Amino acid sequence: SAPAGGAAGGRSAALPRSPGAPRVSAALLPLPLPILLLLPGVMAASKPVEAPGGGGGTGGLSRWQLALVLGAPILLGAGAIYLWGRRAARRGKGASERKTPEGRASPGPGGEGGSGQPDGPGHEEMSPLGRAQAAKNKGNKYFKAGKYELAIQCYTEAISLCPPEKNIDLSTFYQNRAAAYEQLQKWTEVAQDCTKAVELNPKYVKALFRRAKAHEKLDNKKECLEDVTAVCILEAFQNQQSMLLADKVLKLLGKEKAKEKYKNREPLMPSPQFIKSYFSSFTDDIISQPLLKGEKSDEDKDKEGEASEVKENSGYLRAKQYMEEENYDKIISESTKEIEAKGRYMAEALLLRATFYLLIGNASAAKPDLDQVISMEDANVKLRANALIKRGSMYMQQQQPVLSTQDFNMAADIDPQNADVYHHRGQLKILLDQIEEAVEDFDECIRLRPNSALAQAQKCFALYRQAYTGSNALTVQAAMKGFEDVIKKFPKCAEGYALYAQALTDQQQFGKADEMYDKCIDLEPDNATTYVHKGLLQLQWKQDLDKGLELISKAIEIDNKCDFAYETMGTIEVQRGNLDKAIEMFNKAINLAKSEMEMAHLYSLCDAAYAQTEVAKKYGLKPPTL
């Protein structure tokens, strides 16, 4: 994920990517990982981590589900469909209710199972099983009347009367008694009875799901996740209730683990390619500009022949020189020296230090520096505007869209001629689904900076998204032509090709999309994320796993800190059924996460895969794999 204020391996946006979207170049942030699982019912499931655009989930397939759905039949397809169509999908399918109590067990592994329909009470001489069924039927009547204590007594009688070899019937009685305990909120008893039911009938969906809910109430998250994972697999991911519970517990587990790990994590500097891409997303950023002629000198009589030395004893200017040398690890300490000395470049040093705090994922350290720069009314207005863009992006990463919008608006107020403000605010508007306002901001950026290829490419993307969402073939066609115009006018803008490739993928023009990714690679051979997207395209287009993994491995070879590559490889390994390998990949991505929220979501992916390994051991349940 990108730090606040820059693109993840991309060439533009200030905004970090959503936890529900892939690490892509900045303009692609609103797009999800281009894997579309076309499973009935899955589309209605909720999103695990709120999209930065609204602070709330809006339904749709999530990245943990890409891991959880493992080997369910997939169509690798238009990634934007499930992101943009999730509201409609959620409206189109309601939750499937589970009725309780029941007259017989869920079918066992061999079919209907048990005794079939329960014996009626009219037989003159009832068998032990018949008497048990009669007690259960009486319990059902009490249950429906809301007399749960009496229902429990009847179910207990049924359990005591039932012959022990009648596993399916006995499991039903335990499950029904658990349902009555559930109504009384006796969660320990619910879990105990469901465990008995599952021991007797290991693939008993109702008992597994009821036990999952009891574990949730008892705060046994790991056990809850394992049970609900088994339910999801047994139901082929058709039931929204079980998907929502899995979603909920994965979020809670992820947040707990990330909170503990993130506060103790070692700061990790991203790759040089990532950092350079980040700074290239700004055109009016003073701190990323090269040293001016007057700021350094080649003269140093005592150290003749060595690298140029900064004229004055300035920590900030030394930090700038280290930036030019790509010696990024020393920038925070040199900026701190300038700040502590209250030097003439204090505002610049504060902004530079804050930026590198963001790059290493330390937003709590960055915020005071950004606050101070913003409050320095005598500082260069471009410094203050840049600080507002970065703080606004940080707020977006923290799912505080109101504060984020306020910062972007303030930046526009204090520096209305700053093209960066409109470019980055336009991307914010895209994430907030405010497409018309996004187009207006891109237009203003283009007015101020007519040769801004990035803004023109992203304006095309916004118009394409608007057309795609509206299912208007004519406007989609016009938007596609807009991409052609942009890449013709700006043939060296990799972002234009990347966005066009995504749109072509949506339109299932895979061959041409592949050509566009090749153009990106020609222009930016060190951009690891492009290789990941090209690899995903091979899966979607040709179902070529080997080629896809080869390209993603190439991304890791280029940038061994590319967490998007590790995460994507983990997701693919999940789809292949290689759960141990998937967990290894997710753990690598976790160690590279640049925000607590991103780490939480990666833990959700990892936990989803781990839960399936446990379910496979306990119940022998594995979805079909690729």
Side-chain angles (χ1 to χ4, degrees):
S1 70
R11 299 154 285 271
S12 53
L15 290 168
R17 91 181 158 89
S18 157
R23 274 168 201 77
V24 295
S25 74
L28 293 179
L29 288 172
L31 293 176
L33 186 66
I35 293 180
L36 174 62
L37 303 182
L38 294 180
L39 292 171
V42 171
M43 294 285 288
S46 73
K47 200 167 185 293
V49 180
E50 293 79 1
T58 52
L61 197 65
S62 62
R63 288 193 298 153
W64 75 259
Q65 287 162 347
L66 294 177
L68 185 63
V69 179
L70 274 204
I74 68 171
L75 170 64
L76 295 166
I81 292 175
Y82 79 74
L83 181 68
W84 303 338
R86 59 194 178 193
R87 292 186 181 86
R90 192 170 186 177
R91 287 195 299 269
K93 180 176 177 68
S96 173
E97 294 296 328
R98 304 171 189 271
K99 296 184 175 163
T100 54
E102 58 185 322
R104 56 181 173 168
S106 295
E112 290 292 315
S115 60
Q117 292 292 340
D119 295 330
H123 292 279
E124 291 183 6
E125 291 187 13
M126 297 179 70
S127 65
L129 178 59
R131 291 197 298 275
Q133 291 282 10
K136 180 219 41 182
N137 292 338
K138 188 176 179 182
N140 286 356
K141 291 178 181 178
Y142 282 131
F143 186 99
K144 291 173 183 176
K147 298 178 180 179
Y148 303 116
E149 295 284 6
L150 292 174
I152 287 167
Q153 292 177 18
C154 292
Y155 295 139
T156 302
E157 182 182 354
I159 290 166
S160 65
L161 291 170
C162 184
E165 68 273 12
K166 297 293 184 180
N167 288 7
I168 300 300
D169 296 281
L170 193 53
S171 69
T172 303
F173 305 152
Y174 275 112
Q175 197 282 141
N176 281 11
R177 189 169 73 176
Y181 279 130
E182 182 180 48
Q183 295 300 315
L184 299 174
Q185 299 186 30
K186 294 185 175 181
W187 305 113
T188 300
E189 289 82 353
V190 173
Q192 289 171 347
D193 273 2
C194 287
T195 296
K196 289 284 189 182
V198 171
E199 287 172 353
L200 293 161
N201 181 7
K203 297 182 181 180
Y204 194 171
V205 169
K206 278 194 174 182
L208 283 164
F209 187 67
R210 181 159 280 115
R211 187 171 69 178
K213 292 188 290 182
H215 281 315
E216 180 197 8
K217 296 293 185 181
L218 294 167
D219 202 31
N220 300 329
K221 297 182 186 67
K222 180 176 177 291
E223 292 81 1
C224 173
L225 179 59
E226 288 178 14
D227 280 346
V228 77
T229 298
V231 170
C232 286
I233 296 172
L234 285 167
E235 295 182 324
F237 303 90
Q238 299 288 310
N239 192 293
Q240 190 182 34
Q241 284 187 317
S242 52
M243 296 287 280
L244 289 174
L245 180 56
D247 175 30
K248 181 180 179 181
V249 72
L250 279 166
K251 280 197 282 190
L252 292 171
L253 274 170
K255 286 178 180 177
E256 282 184 5
K257 292 182 177 181
K259 185 175 182 180
E260 182 62 28
K261 183 175 177 69
Y262 197 77
K263 68 182 180 183
N264 297 317
R265 69 190 282 273
E266 289 291 325
L268 182 67
M269 191 66 68
S271 67
Q273 190 275 335
F274 183 101
I275 294 171
K276 285 184 283 187
S277 292
Y278 174 89
F279 281 109
S280 73
S281 70
F282 298 96
T283 56
D284 282 323
D285 181 9
I286 293 172
I287 65 169
S288 64
Q289 301 305 315
L291 284 169
L292 300 176
K293 289 182 180 179
E295 292 177 329
K296 62 182 180 180
S297 170
D298 292 330
E299 296 177 4
D300 190 320
K301 303 299 183 183
D302 298 325
K303 299 182 179 179
E304 189 174 351
E306 293 189 6
S308 63
E309 298 292 325
V310 174
K311 271 186 179 179
E312 55 189 286
N313 185 25
S314 166
Y316 171 71
L317 295 181
R318 283 195 298 273
K320 286 287 294 287
Q321 192 155 334
Y322 285 133
M323 274 189 70
E324 292 186 14
E325 297 167 0
E326 297 183 17
N327 193 352
Y328 300 119
D329 289 326
K330 295 185 177 180
I331 289 174
I332 289 176
S333 60
E334 291 299 332
S335 298
T336 300
K337 291 175 184 176
E338 181 80 17
I339 293 163
E340 290 175 347
K342 296 189 180 347
R344 60 180 289 197
Y345 297 107
M346 183 173 176
E348 289 88 343
L350 283 164
L351 182 56
L352 184 60
R353 185 172 72 173
T355 301
F356 272 85
Y357 277 142
L358 291 172
L359 281 164
I360 65 174
N362 192 348
S364 60
K367 186 178 180 298
D369 286 355
L370 293 172
D371 291 346
Q372 191 170 345
V373 175
I374 291 164
S375 66
M376 296 170 72
E377 295 188 4
D378 58 341
N380 186 313
V381 71
K382 293 203 177 299
L383 290 174
R384 297 176 64 212
N386 188 268
L388 282 162
I389 291 171
K390 289 171 180 172
R391 191 176 71 178
S393 299
M394 181 188 73
Y395 283 140
M396 205 63 198
Q397 195 172 43
Q398 296 169 349
Q399 298 185 336
Q400 300 184 67
V402 174
L403 291 176
S404 178
T405 301
Q406 288 174 356
D407 273 359
F408 278 102
N409 292 346
M410 183 178 172
D413 288 341
I414 68 170
D415 194 8
Q417 301 302 308
N418 188 327
D420 284 345
V421 175
Y422 303 101
H423 182 192
H424 297 307
R425 190 172 69 177
Q427 293 180 75
L428 167 69
K429 298 299 184 184
I430 288 177
L431 291 178
L432 294 174
D433 284 328
Q434 297 170 3
I435 305 300
E436 290 184 8
E437 293 181 31
V439 171
E440 290 175 5
D441 273 341
F442 291 135
D443 279 338
E444 182 62 13
C445 177
I446 293 164
R447 186 188 70 80
L448 292 167
R449 198 175 293 276
N451 291 324
S452 174
L454 299 178
Q456 298 206 31
Q458 293 201 347
K459 177 186 173 182
C460 279
F461 169 76
L463 291 171
Y464 170 75
R465 176 171 177 175
Q466 189 176 47
Y468 193 100
T469 305
S471 301
N472 187 318
L474 288 177
T475 52
V476 166
Q477 187 176 356
M480 297 298 278
K481 183 180 183 303
F483 284 122
E484 289 279 3
D485 292 341
V486 167
I487 62 175
K488 184 177 180 180
K489 185 176 180 181
F490 302 103
K492 296 190 181 300
C493 176
E495 188 86 347
Y497 294 107
L499 287 170
Y500 192 25
Q502 188 71 52
L504 288 164
T505 303
D506 290 343
Q507 301 300 312
Q508 299 193 21
Q509 297 182 37
F510 302 127
K512 195 167 183 179
D514 197 46
E515 292 175 14
M516 295 301 107
Y517 283 130
D518 284 340
K519 293 279 191 182
C520 290
I521 290 170
D522 288 343
L523 289 166
E524 295 185 351
D526 293 333
N527 193 316
T529 59
T530 306
Y531 287 92
V532 179
H533 284 287
K534 183 175 169 66
L536 287 169
L537 180 64
Q538 307 313 305
L539 301 178
Q540 179 175 349
W541 178 20
K542 300 177 180 178
Q543 293 76 53
D544 190 340
L545 276 172
D546 291 336
K547 183 63 174 176
L549 289 172
E550 178 188 328
L551 285 161
I552 296 166
S553 297
K554 175 69 173 175
I556 293 171
E557 181 184 326
I558 290 169
D559 181 2
N560 64 4
K561 295 180 181 179
C562 181
D563 46 344
F564 178 33
Y566 291 117
E567 178 190 339
T568 306
M569 187 171 282
T571 301
I572 292 171
E573 293 295 354
V574 163
Q575 292 287 344
R576 300 174 77 194
N578 299 332
L579 297 179
D580 291 338
K581 180 69 172 177
I583 291 167
E584 178 190 343
M585 293 296 103
F586 290 140
N587 278 323
K588 287 185 177 182
I590 285 167
N591 290 330
L592 294 167
K594 297 176 183 67
S595 73
E596 185 177 323
M597 188 175 71
E598 175 63 19
M599 185 179 283
H601 197 72
L602 288 165
Y603 267 121
S604 294
L605 287 172
C606 192
D607 287 340
Y610 180 75
Q612 290 206 52
T613 65
E614 294 302 298
V615 167
K617 291 174 188 174
K618 286 185 180 180
Y619 307 111
L621 291 176
K622 284 187 178 182
T625 57
L626 286 174

